Amino acid sequence: MTTRRILIAAAGGLLAAPRLARAAWEPSRPIQLIVGFPPGGGADLAARAAADASARFFPTPLVVINRPGAGGAIAAQQMTTTPADGLNLLVNGGSESTSLPAFRDVPYDPKRSFRAIIRLTRQPMLIVAKRGGRYGDLPSVVEAAKRAPGTIPHASSGIGSIYHAVFVLLSQAAGIELLHIPYTGGAPSLQALLAGTVELAVLAPEEMAGLAQAGEVKPLAVASAERIPAYPDVPTIKELGWDVVAENMKGLAAPAGLPDDIATSLHDRFRRGMQEPGWKTFLDRSGAMDGYLDGPAFQAAMDSVLDALRASVRRPPA
């Protein structure tokens, strides 16, 4: 009997061995990084930098695909019909994930339609005025808006964009009303500011760096939780007395249902890429900050911003 039990146990061990020795997931063809915005924007640049830095840790190429439209919602919707096999990833964390769903209905659930893989960057956003204009600091903007509600024009990169969200949160926190003029992106917003069409805009550091150095624009406040190295003298909105904290995050997500082993493999490979010199050079050049979070923490960060916006935004009638 003892011998028979030993043989059965040994046979069971042999049967289990292939499962224990299962090979780690390997992609079978190129992995597409889907960007919901045009080439040259912040999401596109972050995707290409991540692909370049991480390429040597993948056996197949990483290919950036731009599918712009509707503030990133078109790319996000397309991802919901894509197989959860790790071969298609959404570059997310910004408007399509944290602000657009607070302003309008979208054909996906930002909290459940995707599996977050890794957060790559934190992108500061600054409220900016034209040098020589009426406003030298943010408190003067708020005071003027209280005296004349709805008369101070500000630009954003579109209704529901994360740039628009900064002004929405400020307006709610300060009890003011500003005049929103939406544009199609950060560059047109900056052009409107320089032309005097608007008096304020929200911009990323790389969008305004040269003009700030030349004295053409003046940053009034940063929306991040802390001051940023590129502009150490510019206070945060929260420092000035209004509880507003917002950043334009960038990371990667897959369709919901992605198996754990594939999610782990993708995370670990891109995390290794974030240690490469090329990635650090990108951060220094772009003004973005290393924003590493693992998948669950990244999803929680996006959810937190979305929840705050949903509680603050007065959605326009359909």
Side-chain angles (χ1 to χ4, degrees):
M1 294 293 293
T2 301
T3 301
R4 183 171 180 270
R5 284 197 297 270
I6 291 173
L7 290 173
I8 291 172
L14 289 172
L15 290 172
R19 292 195 295 271
L20 293 175
R22 179 182 175 183
W25 174 79
E26 293 285 335
S28 58
R29 60 178 186 270
I31 295 174
Q32 296 189 113
L33 307 186
I34 309 300
V35 181
F37 299 90
D44 177 74
L45 294 174
R48 294 181 189 280
D52 289 344
S54 306
R56 73 186 189 93
F57 304 116
F58 286 86
T60 57
L62 300 172
V63 183
V64 176
I65 304 293
N66 297 90
R67 292 177 181 164
I74 289 177
Q77 180 186 9
Q78 289 178 344
M79 286 295 291
T80 63
T81 62
T82 299
D85 56 8
L87 299 178
N88 291 278
L89 303 177
L90 177 67
V91 179
N92 71 325
S95 299
E96 75 294 313
S97 307
T98 61
S99 62
L100 194 65
F103 287 84
R104 64 182 71 171
D105 293 332
V106 292
Y108 55 88
D109 186 331
K111 294 186 178 183
R112 296 179 178 85
S113 293
F114 312 101
R115 177 166 185 170
I117 301 298
I118 188 170
R119 190 174 78 171
L120 300 168
T121 66
R122 296 165 52 212
Q123 178 65 71
M125 298 181 289
L126 298 102
I127 295 179
V128 179
K130 185 178 180 181
R131 183 76 68 175
R134 291 195 293 168
Y135 306 112
D137 55 37
L138 191 58
S140 66
V141 174
V142 171
E143 288 303 314
K146 288 181 177 179
R147 292 192 302 268
T151 62
I152 301 174
H154 74 82
S156 83
S157 53
I159 296 174
S161 68
I162 193 68
Y163 285 7
H164 180 203
V166 172
F167 282 116
V168 170
L169 292 174
L170 174 64
S171 297
Q172 293 292 313
I176 60 174
E177 181 182 349
L178 300 169
L179 177 60
H180 178 216
I181 301 180
Y183 291 87
T184 57
S189 296
L190 178 56
Q191 292 169 3
L193 181 68
L194 294 174
T197 306
V198 298
E199 296 187 83
L200 302 167
V202 169
L203 298 169
E206 68 267 27
E207 292 172 326
M208 53 169 278
L211 291 168
Q213 292 170 2
E216 295 293 324
V217 298
K218 177 179 175 57
L220 306 183
V222 61
S224 300
E226 66 279 336
R227 297 190 184 198
I228 59 176
Y231 298 95
D233 297 328
V234 177
T236 67
I237 300 175
K238 193 165 186 175
E239 278 183 80
L240 295 171
W242 299 288
D243 190 11
V244 174
V245 176
E247 290 181 329
N248 190 9
M249 301 176 281
K250 293 296 174 227
L252 299 170
L258 185 75
D260 290 346
D261 61 331
I262 300 179
T264 298
S265 177
L266 289 167
H267 167 276
D268 292 350
R269 293 171 197 255
F270 281 108
R271 180 59 178 150
R272 291 172 71 185
M274 292 176 71
Q275 311 304 315
E276 291 290 289
W279 178 252
K280 298 182 185 302
T281 298
F282 161 73
L283 294 178
D284 291 340
R285 185 178 66 250
S286 69
M289 296 181 286
D290 188 313
Y292 169 72
L293 289 175
D294 65 13
F298 179 27
Q299 187 64 56
M302 291 187 286
D303 292 350
S304 177
V305 176
L306 177 57
D307 289 344
L309 281 170
R310 280 177 166 165
S312 299
V313 171
R314 293 188 292 267
R315 293 178 64 169

